[in-house]
Amino acid sequence: MAANKECTFIAIKPDDVQRGLIGDIIKRFEQKGFQLVAMECQQVSKEHLQQHYIDLKDRSFHNALVDYMNSGPVVAMVRQGLKGLNVVKTGRIMLGETNPVDSKPSTIKGDFCIQVGRNICPGSDSVESVEKPNALWFKDDEQV
Ligand code: IDP
Ligand code: MG
């Protein structure tokens, strides 16, 4: 990644791929001006997902979350903006709160879902936490 850029990792979960929401979600980040760095539609292994959700390994819903994310293809992407424009923070605002009940209309979770276990899009929650998922999901030469 260029030194003057900040990246964020965003994904679209299996039932939202099946619901045909990929275009609606991507459009919001395109319109907002987040540059595309990498994107892929892939069915990921449970081992990969256990790594992705390692910080939640002690939570009661961890296994159900891994099984669900493994149940069909997901779309994963990395997007970026100039440093100082806070794409990680802005991305989280665009996504809404983890629980859709708390998400305002016009956010992705506010507009497209009602249930925390089916909440459409995970997204990086801090600049420090971005590198790990980016490296797990995409090789260096898959990020442009
Ligand atoms: P985030 O996706 O908003 O960053 P995290 O706390 O990282 O939220 O949780 C990861 C995923 O775990 C959420 O997207 C959601 O699907 C699921 N999750 C979080 N909290 C709960 C819960 O209380 N019950 C069921 N699933 C949950
Ligand atoms: Mg999270």
Side-chain angles (χ1 to χ4, degrees):
M1 183 187 52
N4 64 340
K5 299 287 173 74
E6 178 177 303
C7 274
T8 186
F9 174 86
I10 297 159
I12 305 173
K13 295 184 178 185
D15 62 327
D16 311 298
V17 171
Q18 290 198 4
R19 286 169 69 197
L21 295 179
I22 298 170
D24 287 313
I25 291 164
I26 289 174
K27 188 164 185 232
R28 293 183 180 218
F29 292 103
E30 294 285 317
Q31 280 177 326
K32 186 71 177 164
F34 282 29
Q35 281 177 341
L36 184 62
V37 176
M39 183 161 69
E40 194 168 303
C41 183
Q42 47 183 298
Q43 176 131 19
V44 285
S45 67
K46 288 194 181 181
E47 294 71 28
H48 176 131
L49 291 162
Q50 270 151 1
Q51 275 305 309
H52 181 77
Y53 286 120
I54 192 94
D55 295 345
L56 299 171
K57 70 177 181 340
D58 297 328
R59 302 296 297 271
S60 59
F61 55 82
H62 179 261
N63 288 343
L65 178 62
V66 167
D67 286 349
Y68 164 58
M69 289 291 284
N70 172 252
S71 69
V74 300
V75 171
M77 62 189 134
V78 179
R79 289 185 176 263
Q80 71 178 11
L82 283 176
K83 258 194 185 141
L85 298 182
N86 299 318
V87 292
V88 170
K89 183 177 173 199
T90 306
R92 286 296 284 201
I93 293 169
M94 291 168 69
L95 291 172
E97 302 299 321
T98 301
N99 193 334
V101 169
D102 302 319
S103 297
K104 293 199 168 59
S106 296
T107 63
I108 289 169
K109 296 176 194 193
D111 285 352
F112 293 121
C113 61
I114 54 174
Q115 201 181 323
V116 69
R118 297 289 182 271
N119 64 352
I120 315 248
C121 279
S124 304
D125 58 8
S126 69
V127 175
E128 298 69 39
S129 70
V130 173
E131 247 172 61
K132 218 172 63 176
N134 287 7
L136 180 63
W137 291 72
F138 296 103
K139 300 189 188 87
D140 277 352
D141 64 3
E142 291 172 332
Q143 304 193 36
V144 292

mmCIF file with all atom_site columns, all heavy atoms in Angstrom, residues 53 56 92 98 122-125, ligand 2:
data_model
loop_
_atom_site.group_PDB
_atom_site.id
_atom_site.type_symbol
_atom_site.label_atom_id
_atom_site.label_alt_id
_atom_site.label_comp_id
_atom_site.label_asym_id
_atom_site.label_entity_id
_atom_site.label_seq_id
_atom_site.pdbx_PDB_ins_code
_atom_site.Cartn_x
_atom_site.Cartn_y
_atom_site.Cartn_z
_atom_site.occupancy
_atom_site.B_iso_or_equiv
_atom_site.pdbx_formal_charge
_atom_site.auth_seq_id
_atom_site.auth_comp_id
_atom_site.auth_asym_id
_atom_site.auth_atom_id
_atom_site.pdbx_PDB_model_num
ATOM   1  N  N   . TYR A 1 53  ? -11.836 -14.514 12.384 1.00 0.00 ? 53  TYR A N   1
ATOM   2  C  CA  . TYR A 1 53  ? -12.612 -14.164 13.576 1.00 0.00 ? 53  TYR A CA  1
ATOM   3  C  C   . TYR A 1 53  ? -11.921 -14.610 14.865 1.00 0.00 ? 53  TYR A C   1
ATOM   4  O  O   . TYR A 1 53  ? -12.579 -14.869 15.864 1.00 0.00 ? 53  TYR A O   1
ATOM   5  C  CB  . TYR A 1 53  ? -14.013 -14.782 13.484 1.00 0.00 ? 53  TYR A CB  1
ATOM   6  C  CG  . TYR A 1 53  ? -14.912 -14.073 12.489 1.00 0.00 ? 53  TYR A CG  1
ATOM   7  C  CD1 . TYR A 1 53  ? -15.452 -14.743 11.398 1.00 0.00 ? 53  TYR A CD1 1
ATOM   8  C  CD2 . TYR A 1 53  ? -15.239 -12.722 12.642 1.00 0.00 ? 53  TYR A CD2 1
ATOM   9  C  CE1 . TYR A 1 53  ? -16.287 -14.088 10.483 1.00 0.00 ? 53  TYR A CE1 1
ATOM   10 C  CE2 . TYR A 1 53  ? -16.059 -12.063 11.741 1.00 0.00 ? 53  TYR A CE2 1
ATOM   11 C  CZ  . TYR A 1 53  ? -16.584 -12.751 10.665 1.00 0.00 ? 53  TYR A CZ  1
ATOM   12 O  OH  . TYR A 1 53  ? -17.403 -12.091 9.771  1.00 0.00 ? 53  TYR A OH  1
ATOM   13 N  N   . LEU A 1 56  ? -12.801 -13.252 18.234 1.00 0.00 ? 56  LEU A N   1
ATOM   14 C  CA  . LEU A 1 56  ? -14.124 -13.583 18.784 1.00 0.00 ? 56  LEU A CA  1
ATOM   15 C  C   . LEU A 1 56  ? -14.203 -15.055 19.181 1.00 0.00 ? 56  LEU A C   1
ATOM   16 O  O   . LEU A 1 56  ? -15.289 -15.582 19.407 1.00 0.00 ? 56  LEU A O   1
ATOM   17 C  CB  . LEU A 1 56  ? -15.212 -13.278 17.744 1.00 0.00 ? 56  LEU A CB  1
ATOM   18 C  CG  . LEU A 1 56  ? -15.331 -11.818 17.275 1.00 0.00 ? 56  LEU A CG  1
ATOM   19 C  CD1 . LEU A 1 56  ? -16.295 -11.713 16.103 1.00 0.00 ? 56  LEU A CD1 1
ATOM   20 C  CD2 . LEU A 1 56  ? -15.798 -10.926 18.411 1.00 0.00 ? 56  LEU A CD2 1
ATOM   21 N  N   . ARG A 1 92  ? -17.013 2.545   8.572  1.00 0.00 ? 92  ARG A N   1
ATOM   22 C  CA  . ARG A 1 92  ? -17.839 2.027   9.673  1.00 0.00 ? 92  ARG A CA  1
ATOM   23 C  C   . ARG A 1 92  ? -19.140 2.815   9.781  1.00 0.00 ? 92  ARG A C   1
ATOM   24 O  O   . ARG A 1 92  ? -20.199 2.253   10.050 1.00 0.00 ? 92  ARG A O   1
ATOM   25 C  CB  . ARG A 1 92  ? -17.085 2.104   11.015 1.00 0.00 ? 92  ARG A CB  1
ATOM   26 C  CG  . ARG A 1 92  ? -15.987 1.086   11.195 1.00 0.00 ? 92  ARG A CG  1
ATOM   27 C  CD  . ARG A 1 92  ? -16.466 -0.354  11.234 1.00 0.00 ? 92  ARG A CD  1
ATOM   28 N  NE  . ARG A 1 92  ? -17.101 -0.746  12.473 1.00 0.00 ? 92  ARG A NE  1
ATOM   29 C  CZ  . ARG A 1 92  ? -17.241 -2.009  12.889 1.00 0.00 ? 92  ARG A CZ  1
ATOM   30 N  NH1 . ARG A 1 92  ? -16.763 -3.020  12.152 1.00 0.00 ? 92  ARG A NH1 1
ATOM   31 N  NH2 . ARG A 1 92  ? -17.843 -2.302  13.999 1.00 0.00 ? 92  ARG A NH2 1
ATOM   32 N  N   . THR A 1 98  ? -23.040 -2.763  14.545 1.00 0.00 ? 98  THR A N   1
ATOM   33 C  CA  . THR A 1 98  ? -23.005 -4.224  14.421 1.00 0.00 ? 98  THR A CA  1
ATOM   34 C  C   . THR A 1 98  ? -24.424 -4.803  14.453 1.00 0.00 ? 98  THR A C   1
ATOM   35 O  O   . THR A 1 98  ? -24.780 -5.648  13.633 1.00 0.00 ? 98  THR A O   1
ATOM   36 C  CB  . THR A 1 98  ? -22.161 -4.836  15.565 1.00 0.00 ? 98  THR A CB  1
ATOM   37 O  OG1 . THR A 1 98  ? -20.846 -4.299  15.474 1.00 0.00 ? 98  THR A OG1 1
ATOM   38 C  CG2 . THR A 1 98  ? -22.123 -6.347  15.478 1.00 0.00 ? 98  THR A CG2 1
ATOM   39 N  N   . PRO A 1 122 ? -19.129 -7.119  7.177  1.00 0.00 ? 122 PRO A N   1
ATOM   40 C  CA  . PRO A 1 122 ? -18.088 -6.790  8.140  1.00 0.00 ? 122 PRO A CA  1
ATOM   41 C  C   . PRO A 1 122 ? -17.174 -5.717  7.533  1.00 0.00 ? 122 PRO A C   1
ATOM   42 O  O   . PRO A 1 122 ? -17.003 -5.671  6.307  1.00 0.00 ? 122 PRO A O   1
ATOM   43 C  CB  . PRO A 1 122 ? -17.304 -8.101  8.307  1.00 0.00 ? 122 PRO A CB  1
ATOM   44 C  CG  . PRO A 1 122 ? -17.876 -9.072  7.345  1.00 0.00 ? 122 PRO A CG  1
ATOM   45 C  CD  . PRO A 1 122 ? -18.882 -8.375  6.480  1.00 0.00 ? 122 PRO A CD  1
ATOM   46 N  N   . GLY A 1 123 ? -16.612 -4.892  8.379  1.00 0.00 ? 123 GLY A N   1
ATOM   47 C  CA  . GLY A 1 123 ? -15.672 -3.873  7.896  1.00 0.00 ? 123 GLY A CA  1
ATOM   48 C  C   . GLY A 1 123 ? -14.662 -3.550  8.970  1.00 0.00 ? 123 GLY A C   1
ATOM   49 O  O   . GLY A 1 123 ? -14.968 -3.653  10.162 1.00 0.00 ? 123 GLY A O   1
ATOM   50 N  N   . SER A 1 124 ? -13.468 -3.157  8.567  1.00 0.00 ? 124 SER A N   1
ATOM   51 C  CA  . SER A 1 124 ? -12.404 -2.832  9.534  1.00 0.00 ? 124 SER A CA  1
ATOM   52 C  C   . SER A 1 124 ? -12.908 -1.802  10.535 1.00 0.00 ? 124 SER A C   1
ATOM   53 O  O   . SER A 1 124 ? -13.611 -0.860  10.167 1.00 0.00 ? 124 SER A O   1
ATOM   54 C  CB  . SER A 1 124 ? -11.192 -2.240  8.808  1.00 0.00 ? 124 SER A CB  1
ATOM   55 O  OG  . SER A 1 124 ? -10.738 -3.114  7.814  1.00 0.00 ? 124 SER A OG  1
ATOM   56 N  N   . ASP A 1 125 ? -12.516 -2.005  11.814 1.00 0.00 ? 125 ASP A N   1
ATOM   57 C  CA  . ASP A 1 125 ? -12.970 -1.051  12.827 1.00 0.00 ? 125 ASP A CA  1
ATOM   58 C  C   . ASP A 1 125 ? -11.864 -0.155  13.354 1.00 0.00 ? 125 ASP A C   1
ATOM   59 O  O   . ASP A 1 125 ? -12.110 0.728   14.176 1.00 0.00 ? 125 ASP A O   1
ATOM   60 C  CB  . ASP A 1 125 ? -13.689 -1.768  13.973 1.00 0.00 ? 125 ASP A CB  1
ATOM   61 C  CG  . ASP A 1 125 ? -12.802 -2.810  14.637 1.00 0.00 ? 125 ASP A CG  1
ATOM   62 O  OD1 . ASP A 1 125 ? -11.593 -2.869  14.315 1.00 0.00 ? 125 ASP A OD1 1
ATOM   63 O  OD2 . ASP A 1 125 ? -13.331 -3.562  15.477 1.00 0.00 ? 125 ASP A OD2 1
HETATM 64 MG MG  . MG  B 2 .   ? -15.414 -6.590  13.690 1.00 0.00 ? 2   MG  B MG  1
#
